Amino acid sequence: KSNRLAGEAAAAGGKAPSPLRSAGALHKVMADSSSMDFGGNDAALAGLDLGSVPEDAPSSERAEERELLEGWDQALFGDRTRGSWEIPETWGVRRLGDFASARGGTGFPPELQGQTGGRYPFFKVSDMNLPGNGVEMGTSNNYVTEEVRAKLAAKPFNVGTVIFPKVGGALHTNKKRILVSDALLDNNVMGVTIEDDRVCIPDFLLRLFEVVNLSDLSNPGPLPSINATRVKGTMLPIPPLPEQRA
């Protein structure tokens, strides 16, 4: 298993049932953000009681959560888990927007590009193809100073942010990377940043995104694109922090 996921989800109260009815519907989780009200799994972070579905929850609700988790199990860990490992009861399901933010980058005027030094790397989609950037974004073709950042009113993305293309044919390449330093992103890239590390850790979030088909998150049309609202509405399987780090 990967070391990179975190958090737990708890359920509270009976809301509309999940649209998922089989393990094979994994990618529909990512596509149907409008209908992803998964049994009220909005855990109260104040108490951090992020367990599984309560014992007194309707059996249908518990069964639907198990089906979702089992679908993710196969996507994350493959057939090697079949018959030899069961998802623990402590795992739950959580809406991404409950514990992370998602936003696009900033326009990057051509006249400001090309600098090889500065406070922030300014990543474009093409930088994902640079040697050494296969998983962690360590080098960039462009850097900017704090002065330029302020001029652009660009908000930095924190270390640990998971990034991916969000516009055009590039999103169909399904590239996902993680930042190893604070950085800026251009407006063809989206970043998802953990806001509550009591729920999920960046490495595990990356592991989850590695099995997500970005095309399923995109809006239809001649120029496909991904918006933050849809990303934040996705439902994800979240094990306890120790398992995410295992």
Side-chain angles (χ1 to χ4, degrees):
K1 293 189 289 186
S2 169
N3 324 10
R4 309 186 164 186
L5 280 96
E8 242 330 296
K15 295 185 181 180
S18 165
L20 293 176
R21 296 295 175 182
S22 69
L26 169 64
H27 290 307
K28 188 171 176 59
V29 177
M30 311 308 295
D32 285 351
S33 59
S34 62
S35 59
M36 288 187 296
D37 189 2
F38 199 81
N41 287 328
D42 296 323
L45 279 177
L48 283 180
D49 183 14
L50 301 177
S52 57
V53 177
E55 290 299 327
D56 59 353
S59 59
S60 60
E61 182 178 325
R62 295 181 63 82
E64 286 166 358
E65 180 176 271
R66 295 296 294 176
E67 288 181 4
L68 172 61
L69 292 177
E70 287 166 7
W72 273 99
D73 170 26
Q74 290 302 309
L76 286 167
F77 308 128
D79 288 340
R80 70 179 185 274
T81 65
R82 191 181 301 276
S84 62
W85 186 77
E86 293 184 0
I87 295 176
E89 292 291 338
T90 54
W91 283 46
V93 178
R94 193 68 181 269
R95 191 181 302 274
L96 178 63
D98 287 348
F99 61 87
S101 60
R103 59 187 174 91
T106 304
F108 195 14
E111 63 269 20
L112 297 177
Q113 299 179 26
Q115 298 301 310
T116 57
R119 168 68 179 84
Y120 298 100
F122 205 131
F123 291 119
K124 306 174 75 171
V125 172
S126 59
D127 291 311
M128 298 182 186
N129 298 322
L130 292 177
N133 284 359
V135 177
E136 299 177 339
M137 296 296 288
T139 59
S140 177
N141 285 318
N142 300 278
Y143 291 79
V144 297
T145 63
E146 173 61 27
E147 180 182 7
V148 171
R149 183 210 64 78
K151 178 180 179 181
L152 294 174
K155 182 180 179 181
F157 289 81
N158 296 339
V159 58
T161 296
V162 174
I163 70 170
F164 47 86
K166 75 178 189 73
V167 179
L171 68 84
H172 298 307
T173 65
N174 257 330
K175 292 183 175 71
K176 297 99 179 183
R177 305 290 191 265
I178 192 166
L179 299 183
V180 294
S181 65
D182 293 351
L184 303 180
L185 306 177
D186 90 342
N187 54 1
N188 294 307
V189 181
M190 179 167 287
V192 177
T193 306
I194 299 293
E195 300 294 345
D196 192 332
D197 59 7
R198 301 170 298 175
V199 176
C200 189
I201 61 175
D203 282 352
F204 191 70
L205 183 64
L206 175 64
R207 182 72 177 101
L208 284 174
F209 267 93
E210 284 173 348
V211 299
V212 170
N213 185 350
L214 294 179
S215 298
D216 291 339
L217 282 175
S218 66
N219 299 316
L223 183 66
S225 63
I226 298 173
N227 65 57
T229 299
R230 193 161 199 174
V231 171
K232 291 187 291 186
T234 59
M235 304 301 291
L236 300 173
I238 305 294
L241 288 173
E243 294 187 37
Q244 297 179 38
R245 300 186 179 110

